[in-house]
Structures are given as C-alpha cells and as structure tokens.
Amino acid sequence: MTATTTAGPPMAGEDPLFRILLIEDDEGDALLVEELLHDTGLRFELTTRTTLTQARIELAARPVDCILLDLHLPDVSGIDALVSVRGSAPRTAVIVLTGMSEAQAGADAMAAGAQDYLVKGKVEADLLRRTVRYAVYRSHTERANAEAQAAELRAEENARLERGLLPQPMLDTSTVRVTTRYLPGAAMALLGGDFLDVVEGDDGLLHAVVGDVSGHGPDAAALGVCLRIAWRSLILGGHRGDDLLHLMERILIAERGRQPLFATCTLLTLDQDAATVTLYLAGHHEPLLTTAGRTEQPAVAHGIALGIAPGLRGWPSTVISLPPEGSLTVYTDGLTEGHNGSQGERLGVDNLRTLMDRLPPTDPAAHLDLLIKETHALNAGRHSDDLAVLRLDWGARHRS
C-alpha cells in the first residue's frame, strides 16, 4: 500500500508542516498511525511505503523531516532496516516502531542511530506529537552540531595552511623592517596558493620570496606551502638565483602530479651594506619602490613562470640601487586585479601607485592595512582573489 495524506491547515504560531514517511507493510498499523497523527493536531504530510526498496525511491525523490520505521519489512528486518534507512537519509529523524514483545529492540535502535522509538499499541496522540517534534528537533540539532564541527575543522585546516603560506620571518641582525599580509579570497573555506617568506642568511643578506600558484583551493594552497618550504630550505642551503628557481621548478613539477598548475614568483636579495636589491622575476610583476613619498615601478628583467616550460630556465637577474631610506613592496595580483570603483576597469599598477602615494604617511603596518582596505572598498566585492603582500622598509626611521 502506498498513500500520501496532507492534514492541518497552517495557522499563526503553530508548528511547521512535518513531512513524514511511514515505512510499514501492515495496512492496519499504517491506518492506526495515520489516525493518531490526525489526533495530534500537528500539520503533517504523510507518505506511506510498504518496503525498504519503495522507501529508498521516495527518499531519493524528495526530502522528509521524520521517518516512522517498522523494523519488520518484507525485504529487511531488525536493526538492518534502521541501518539501511539511516544510510539513505543520514540527516533525517528516525522513530522506530516496535512490538509490545520487543522490549530491547527500541533501546538497540536508539543505540544504532534512531532518534526515538514507540511501542505499537501503547501510543497515544499526545505521546506521538511530543515524540515527532522532539525527534525532528534533535535531528536538526545534531545536524547543526555536525556542520559546526565540520566548519571548525575546515577553519583549523585553513589556519594550518595559512601558517604554512605565511611563516614567521627568520631575522637575526637585519635592521630592515618586514611587514607581511596574507588574505585568502572571499570563499573562506578555500585557500589559494599565494605564499611568501623572508630569511636572513648566514651571509647577512636578506632574502625573500613572494609567489602565486595558479588556481584556488586546497591543491593550489598545498603546492604553495610546498614551494615556500622548499624555498626556505634551499636558501638556507646556499642556493641562489637561477639555480634556486630551477630546483623550485623541479619540486613543483614533482608535486603537482597531473594537474596543470604553474607558479609565478619574485625572488629578492637585499644587501644593506651595498644598498642594492637583486631581483629575479619568474612570470611575476615588478615590485614597487617608494622613496620620499613617491612610488615607482622599476624596470626589471622578466623570466618565465615555473612549470610553464620545464627545463627552459632563463631567469635573468636585475640589480637595483636603493635610496638611503625607503620601502619595497612585493605583492601578488590580488592587490591590482580588483575593480577601481564604479568605473568598471581593473585597479591596475598605476592606480595602485597613486593610491599608495595618496594615503597618509604612517607606520608601515598601518599603511599596508589601509591600502588593502582601500582596494577592497574600490572593488566592492566584485572580484575575489587571494592576496600576499611583503613590504620591506629601511633607513634611520625604521631601525629598532
């Protein structure tokens, strides 16, 4: 027997409509349950199915709020019936219907995942009303708790990835002030592959990397963490420049597997004594040099992104003389690809330089936070990309 019954018109302040699936092969018991539901005063939509196979088809076709399950069906019986139903509708409240001689069956069913149980022949309307309402409420609470726990686990995973993408700089004697920012895109459950790091080598030089793995999500983020750790290890091992980029590319190819991922990055070595910075660009854009309140984009030789043409190499170096006091900002394209207000165009490097110079001079960290805030305000949520920014400040004003 199959049937669908809707009862109870909506009234202000009353319960919502409960969509109930009764899985019961005994027509007399099914009729009794339907009559009891009418007596409860609940607003309900009742669908009756006589076998587990029919019930599975029904559950696949539409969601229900509560399942009333007889443990003895033509195609399955006992706890196996409950396990099968829970497998088909893991987030739906299940109330088991047991016989008067099955004293232990109800307790076993609850231990196996049912929200509650009722003994046939001992059910009254008030008890059925309370049981259905409580079972649905408990199911919703369990679902909310599970979703909250899953969200917390995702947040913890993201935090671990972010720590890998944005580590603590390794600085000993350098008087250069290091300011970093890393912001994932708008989809907070996902991380992109932007990464950065700063290390002071045994030679007293300051080495840094800012990079961006193509794509978004955990695969790109994991590869970004891998490249960041590889860069730090290789730097501490004495590798520099073209050789360092070649080894990073080999690691990228090995770690990306069959995914068509590539990475852009900027390598820099800042020599305070010589007042120079040596730059290598692998598919990345130029950094910005600010001095005396004016920001410029210096001309830097370009090389190919890592993983685009493995083995080609060819990453030329550029040496830039530094002013006695100033700052160097290296960033990923999340800072410039957002929209520039209501004009419909991208912010771009030129507008970014103008914005940097227009902001009031202040502490480097505060200035960087304000810059990011302004670019986000101009973008107004229309473009979402990950963002990594490294700012290096030097000169008497920035010595600790």
Side-chain angles (χ1 to χ4, degrees), residues 121-193:
K122 290 188 176 182
V123 182
E124 296 179 351
D126 287 344
L127 176 59
L128 182 57
R129 175 187 175 90
R130 291 195 304 270
T131 303
V132 169
R133 293 180 64 186
Y134 175 73
V136 173
Y137 170 77
R138 180 180 171 188
S139 177
H140 289 172
T141 301
E142 291 173 349
R143 183 190 313 172
N145 289 339
E147 291 173 350
Q149 185 177 20
E152 184 177 354
L153 289 174
R154 286 195 300 270
E156 291 175 354
E157 291 172 357
N158 284 355
R160 285 194 292 271
L161 278 173
E162 287 185 34
R163 286 195 295 271
L165 294 164
L166 183 57
Q168 288 295 319
M170 290 180 59
L171 304 174
D172 294 321
T173 62
S174 176
T175 59
V176 174
R177 177 165 180 175
V178 177
T179 306
T180 61
R181 293 292 183 269
Y182 174 79
L183 297 175
M188 299 304 293
L190 300 178
L191 291 171

Side-chain angles (χ1 to χ4, degrees), residues 197 199 207-209 227-235 244 267:
D197 202 355
V199 168
H207 306 280
V209 62
L227 290 176
R228 201 280 303 167
I229 294 174
W231 175 86
R232 176 174 282 202
S233 301
L234 292 168
I235 278 289
L244 173 57
L267 304 187

Side-chain angles (χ1 to χ4, degrees), residues 3-126:
T4 300
T5 302
T6 302
M11 298 190 65
E14 289 195 336
D15 290 322
L17 177 71
F18 290 97
R19 296 163 298 180
I20 300 173
L21 172 63
L22 172 61
I23 311 175
E24 172 63 79
D25 66 322
D26 187 293
E27 292 187 15
D29 287 343
L31 181 59
L32 178 61
V33 169
E34 182 177 348
E35 290 177 348
L36 281 170
L37 281 170
H38 280 285
D39 292 339
T40 62
L42 292 172
R43 295 179 55 237
F44 68 92
E45 179 183 272
L46 177 65
T47 301
T48 302
R49 296 293 180 261
T50 60
T51 66
L52 177 63
T53 300
Q54 293 176 359
R56 282 176 169 168
I57 295 173
E58 180 67 25
L59 290 170
R62 61 181 63 88
V64 299
D65 300 304
C66 183
I67 299 171
L68 300 178
L69 172 65
D70 177 33
L71 290 180
H72 301 288
L73 301 172
D75 48 354
V76 67
S77 63
I79 295 300
D80 289 342
L82 172 62
V83 172
S84 297
V85 168
R86 292 286 292 172
S88 299
R91 296 185 174 185
T92 302
V94 179
I95 301 172
V96 167
L97 304 177
T98 69
M100 295 181 64
S101 62
E102 300 173 302
Q104 187 60 35
D108 292 342
M110 291 188 67
Q115 269 67 41
D116 212 331
Y117 72 96
L118 294 170
V119 180
K120 294 179 181 179
K122 290 188 176 182
V123 182
E124 296 179 351
D126 287 344

Side-chain angles (χ1 to χ4, degrees), residues 275-296:
T276 61
V277 61
T278 302
L279 295 164
Y280 289 84
L281 303 184
H284 213 78
H285 43 261
E286 299 89 339
L288 299 177
L289 178 62
T290 302
T291 181
R294 182 176 178 82
T295 301
E296 300 290 347

